[in-house]
Each structure stands twice: as structure tokens, then as C-alpha cells.
Amino acid sequence: MFFRQLLHEDHEHVCAASYVIGDAGQAVVIDPQWAIERYTALCWAYHLRITHIVETHLHSDHLSGARRLAAETGATIHVAAAARVNYPHDELIADRPLELGELRLTALAAPGHRPEHTAIVVSRAGRDPRLVLTGDSLAVGGVAPPDAGIEFEPAARALYATLGTLRNLADWVEVWPGHVAGPLGGLGTMSQKTSSTVGAERRWNRLFAVDDERSFVSQLAALNVQPTAIGVHLAETNRVRLADHADEPAALSAGEAHRLEQSGAVIVDGRTPERFDAAHIPGSINLPLSGRAVGTRAATILDPERDLVVVAENYRDAVALTRLLESAGLQGVRGALAGGISSWRAVPLAVARVTSLSAEEVAQALDQGDVILVDVREAQEREFGYLATSVHAPIELLARGGINLGDGPVVVACEVGNRAALAASVLRRQGHADVRRLRDGGVRDLLTALSRLPAPVESLSR
């Protein structure tokens, strides 16, 4: 049996997992991402032909690549009937397993996270199950709570029943989940481990071991996992508007990009913060392609129905940024600025410039009471230290525009710098006139700089 787990790490809290399983020269891809090139390249290298594609459920954190992959390979897509998708597919039916050589992939109804959710049990013909792809039901160390737009309590009860079904599998059966925890920690108690066994989860996964439905629902609710704001849009896109191809972004002249911007399109600039600071289109959003969670952060701050124009160092980067935006459900990219910011300046059209500040400069300004510090890290990152007088505003909260910062100078900081650049550009777009970012580091570097002042202000840091 050929088996590969592929992680899509454009997330901070969870990494989506997809799988390629093969035998006898054939392969099935489970939960493909929008960027299908990874699957086609992998299968080409191992002389496998992709014949089947399986969706365990309608995904709410990324755009599926199922139709793209089917168009590229001729493979058949398999989805549970309850998903009610409107594209060509075969239904996943429990007593009709997919066969690849000696492999049998059997659908197991696993509602809870979503009503159509399905787990896939893998075995060899005539043998006991060897592994189970649990999708977004059972995770390593935790479970996936009900999805965005799903009524919590009935879904939680359905998930409890699903876990009871999975507990019937033998201890040695391997568990391969649809998500693992990201760098900022997963949903609830989810682990960063990429796989487990039923026996290990029975022993160590607290929610998997709960044997009372009411207690399970209560404990799941106590985790207080909040679905993403764009989740409902993504799930519906994956159901009724899932594309079967990905166009290259059109090369736009500066004049064309300017007309789109004047008509309401948002300029998304994927260059480094330093390049962006030196010259950028006024009102544009800095989403450094060099950072992590590019698509996820974009989905947090941008309207999925809004037209977008991308700016990058070169066309290759423009394509990469476009694909990440599309993967996060932002399919409104109208094109890329040909020639980058240089072509914009050559027209000439107005550019904006900003100055960033070092940790020492920010420390001096804070010591003198001249600026407000906006800390855009997540709550768990602040456990390692933060400024007591700072305004805590993670990107999602900042994007909603509910933070009152007054009219004075603002400095934005995060852990390493990319989120600060994004947040600073969002604040400027919202109308804040004097916004700078902390460069070459993050809040911890700032706390160190504060401690080195001639008269450190101890009350500022915790």
C-alpha cells in the first residue's frame, strides 16, 4: 500500500491534512486542497494514476481542489449524499467500498462536525481494518467541534454517537485525522501529532473517553471553540460554486488597476514589509507572501465578494499569492499589477511611504508616553510577556474596526513582524493617520529594550 499524508500549513491554529492512498497503480486522493499540483506530482513520481477523489465533508477552512483534480486526471469524485453538491460525483455508500487492487476504502457515516461528515476505513480484502481517516470527527488528543453555521447541541450529540462508532474499532487501528494543531495550538485539546491509534486515543483523549452524552456535550461546549467568520461562505462555495479550473491572474496595466481600485477593488500587496514601507499604493493591504497563514489572514480581513488586485515582486509571486487567496475562499482576484509598484509610479500615480521603528525607538516613545502600542498577537502568545498598557487587538478583532485608538500615534507589534505589517496597513485603510510597525522583531524584543532603559518602567511590563 502506498500512503502519504500531506499537510497544508497556511493556518495558525490548525493544519489541514489530505491523503494519497494507492495500490496496483491506482490512487485515491482524500480531501484535496485547491493547489492540486502536489498530488499530481507525487503520483507521477510513484507511477500512480489518480482514479478516485473522496471528500469527507464540505470544508469550511479551505477551498477544495476536488473538481480541479478531477478535470486534470479524469478521476471520479465521491461525496456523501447529505452534502447535496451540485457537481458530477458518485455517492459514498457504506456497503459499496472503493477498490484499488487489494485495498478496500469503506465509508463510515460520521456526522457531528457536519451532517454529511464521513470517515474512511481502509483495509485489505478479507482482512480487519488497518487504519481510519477520521476527517474532522476524531483528532489526535481531541475532537473537531460542530462547524460554522451548524446548530451546536444536536450536532454535538451526533458527534458523541460518531465517537461511539469509532470506539468499536480495534485498538491497533491507526487514526489519521483531517486536521492537526498548528503553531499557535489547535482547536480545543487537538495535538500537533499527525497520527495516533484508536487505543492511544481511548487512553489519552479525554473527550473520546467520555461515556455519557450529556457530559460530552457540556465538555465540548466548555472548550468554547469559535468557528471562523468565513466558514459558512467556504462550505457553501465547496457545495455549489466549486470551480474546476484556476485561471492565471490577468496582467493589469497601472491604469487598469487604478480603475478597478477606484471602483472598489482592494489592493493586496504581497511584498515584504520593508518593500511595502518604501512605496505602496495608498489604502492597500500588506499581506507578505513570505509569512505564514497568508490565506487565512486574508480571509479574516477581506470580504469574499470584493474584487481584488494583487501586487508582487514578480508574476510568479503574483500567481502564488492568488492561489493562496483562492484557497481561502477569496476568488475575486481580477488580476496582478504588471511591472509591480514601478509601473504604478511611472504613470505617475500616487504612492505612500511609511517609516517603521526599532524596538529601542518604540521603547523610548513608550517611556515618554508618546505612542499607543497595539499588540496583535493571539492571547496564548501573550502568556510569554506583554505590555500592560498595550491595546490587545488580534487581527480578526482589528479588522472589524471596533478598536478606539484615538487620533494619536500608534505602533503595531506582533511576534516576529508580518502580522504587524498587515495590521498597520489595515489601520491605515481604516483611516488612522499615524500608524507605524515595530520592525526586526516583536513584543518580546520590545520588552527587552524597555528593560534596558536608564530608568526602566517596571509597571509597563508583565
Side-chain angles (χ1 to χ4, degrees), residues 71-397:
E72 179 78 16
T73 64
T76 301
I77 303 174
H78 303 266
V79 191
R84 299 181 294 112
V85 298
N86 72 342
Y87 51 78
H89 68 283
D90 282 358
E91 291 182 7
L92 281 171
I93 300 176
D95 60 358
R96 194 184 300 166
L98 300 181
E99 298 184 359
L100 285 81
E102 292 187 5
L103 291 183
R104 302 291 183 271
L105 280 72
T106 304
L108 180 67
H113 179 67
R114 294 191 60 86
E116 75 280 358
H117 193 279
T118 307
I120 304 297
V121 178
V122 181
S123 60
R124 285 201 174 274
R127 299 186 184 181
D128 290 336
R130 178 173 177 179
L131 59 91
V132 58
L133 305 175
T134 54
D136 282 343
S137 55
L138 176 63
V140 180
V143 301
D147 206 358
I150 305 298
E151 188 178 353
F152 179 83
E153 188 162 331
R157 291 198 299 268
L159 180 57
Y160 174 77
T162 288
L163 296 179
T165 301
L166 293 174
R167 279 197 296 270
N168 291 330
L169 294 171
D171 281 354
W172 65 75
V173 174
E174 298 172 15
V175 171
W176 293 89
H179 284 91
V180 300
L184 296 186
L187 303 177
T189 56
M190 188 181 294
S191 170
Q192 290 183 336
K193 288 185 63 178
T194 57
S195 67
S196 182
T197 63
V198 171
E201 294 310 298
R202 202 190 311 276
R203 175 67 179 85
W204 302 108
N205 188 327
R206 177 170 53 86
L207 283 170
F208 189 49
V210 174
D211 60 0
D212 175 77
E213 182 186 86
R214 180 176 298 180
S215 176
F216 175 82
V217 173
S218 175
Q219 291 185 47
L220 187 62
L223 295 178
N224 194 31
V225 176
Q226 299 299 316
T228 60
I230 201 173
V232 174
H233 167 80
L234 265 168
E236 187 64 6
T237 299
N238 283 325
R239 186 177 76 85
V240 301
R241 291 191 292 170
L242 184 59
D244 61 3
H245 66 283
D247 293 327
E248 300 294 285
L252 302 174
S253 68
E256 291 171 323
H258 184 249
R259 284 191 290 275
L260 284 167
E261 191 258 347
Q262 291 293 297
S263 299
V266 178
I267 309 295
V268 181
D269 194 322
R271 296 176 300 150
T272 65
E274 294 73 23
R275 294 275 192 173
F276 183 86
D277 287 352
H280 60 269
I281 298 171
S284 57
I285 298 296
N286 188 203
L287 194 67
L289 190 58
S290 58
R292 64 172 298 111
V294 176
T296 307
R297 291 172 185 169
T300 299
I301 63 173
L302 296 172
D303 183 347
E305 302 299 332
R306 199 78 172 263
D307 285 341
L308 306 173
V309 173
V310 299
V311 176
E313 289 290 350
N314 51 58
Y315 188 71
R316 183 183 63 185
D317 284 355
V319 173
L321 180 56
T322 298
R323 292 292 174 263
L324 288 171
L325 294 173
E326 290 171 342
S327 180
L330 302 168
Q331 295 184 288
V333 176
R334 297 290 301 277
L337 177 60
I341 198 69
S342 297
S343 68
W344 184 272
R345 298 172 70 176
V347 170
L349 289 165
V351 297
R353 299 175 179 83
V354 292
T355 305
S356 59
L357 300 174
S358 68
E360 290 72 21
E361 290 170 326
V362 177
Q364 290 286 348
L366 286 168
D367 190 33
Q368 296 166 15
D370 292 339
V371 299
I372 295 173
L373 180 71
V374 178
D375 184 346
V376 297
R377 296 175 301 165
E378 299 289 333
Q380 59 267 45
E381 294 176 281
R382 282 167 60 93
E383 294 175 2
F384 297 99
Y386 65 95
L387 212 59
T389 55
S390 64
V391 175
H392 183 217
I395 294 291
E396 186 171 2
L397 177 62

